[in-house]
Amino acid sequence: MARRTFFSFHYSSDVWRAWNVRNSWVAKPDHVDTGFFDNSVFEASKRENDDTLKAFLRKGLDNTSVTCVLTGTDTWQRRWVRYEIARSIIKGNGLLTVHIHGVKDRNGYTSTKGYDPLAQMGVYRSSGSIYLAEWKGGKWVSYSDYTRAIPESDLWFAAPKTDSVVQISNHCMAYDYVQQRGHQNIGGWIETAAGLAGR
């Protein structure tokens, strides 16, 4: 059965790097990618309104079992990458971070390693329910793009017991595409993420 993977990334900064990673993924049998849409479609949805863009991104996650966050310098602070992570948590997708700052862009340049986006998102317990949080302005705050409780049974990892935020990265693996030979190994990394999530 084909493994359907959603790739989340910061389009304007990292699309060239992301395409290189994606091409190494889809070159293997039974690998299907999603999340690589034409930027004009993304921008058109964004211009219409936030709800339209959210629906567009949720549809992109349909029928996927893993979300691979391709991480450059500023990916960690991008609102829509965070939304894709949040919806992946709610959906029960396996998650992993792949740092791609060392992949050359179209001009042959690498960039600076950024923070892990999965460390900037977390979950916490409040009044017996589980909610999403994000690191913003130097502190943890309730995640504003999805404010409803998440059923504990929907989480593939242990739910937090207190109101202290537990980073999503505590339950996921992170890799460096260049240093850890991602061209050869990304398939195994994605399968590990799927296995952790029971997908």
Side-chain angles (χ1 to χ4, degrees):
M1 187 172 111
R3 170 71 63 200
R4 293 180 62 86
T5 301
F6 184 90
F7 289 95
S8 177
F9 59 95
H10 178 195
Y11 196 97
S12 61
S13 294
D14 296 317
V15 67
W16 187 266
R17 296 181 178 96
W19 271 105
N20 282 319
V21 173
R22 174 256 187 199
N23 287 340
S24 71
W25 163 251
V26 297
K28 310 289 191 297
D30 292 331
H31 292 178
V32 180
D33 71 302
T34 62
F36 276 84
F37 32 75
D38 187 314
N39 193 40
S40 64
V41 178
F42 179 90
E43 291 299 331
S45 299
K46 190 162 72 171
R47 275 195 301 274
E48 194 165 328
N49 59 54
D50 284 356
D51 289 338
T52 300
L53 181 54
K54 287 178 180 180
F56 172 73
L57 296 175
R58 286 195 304 272
K59 186 171 184 210
L61 282 159
D62 281 352
N63 302 313
T64 63
S65 55
V66 175
T67 299
C68 179
V69 186
L70 301 177
T71 303
T73 305
D74 298 314
T75 313
W76 66 276
Q77 55 190 338
R78 304 304 297 174
R79 176 184 179 187
W80 299 115
V81 169
R82 289 187 178 194
Y83 185 73
E84 290 162 349
I85 292 168
R87 294 308 306 198
S88 297
I89 295 164
I90 294 159
K91 186 178 179 301
N93 273 18
L95 281 154
L96 71 154
T97 300
V98 177
H99 291 279
I100 60 170
H101 63 286
V103 178
K104 291 179 180 177
D105 65 13
R106 68 186 317 158
N107 298 312
Y109 296 111
T110 58
S111 63
T112 306
K113 185 175 182 178
Y115 296 117
D116 182 348
L118 297 180
Q120 314 304 312
M121 297 286 295
V123 288
Y124 66 98
R125 185 180 293 273
S126 178
S127 303
S129 296
I130 306 301
Y131 295 92
L132 289 165
E134 64 179 324
W135 185 256
K136 201 171 187 179
K139 62 183 179 181
W140 286 107
V141 297
S142 295
Y143 181 61
S144 60
D145 278 316
Y146 189 90
T147 57
R148 290 178 283 179
I150 303 170
E152 251 183 88
S153 58
D154 287 358
L155 297 176
W156 55 262
F157 50 83
K161 303 294 184 194
T162 69
D163 62 357
S164 295
V165 174
V166 177
Q167 295 165 296
I168 301 305
S169 59
N170 287 355
H171 304 287
C172 305
M173 301 295 291
Y175 306 91
D176 185 297
Y177 188 81
V178 171
Q179 291 184 4
Q180 294 177 269
R181 295 176 304 169
H183 183 74
Q184 296 174 337
N185 296 322
I186 192 168
W189 301 343
I190 287 171
E191 287 304 316
T192 296
L196 287 173
R199 299 297 299 268

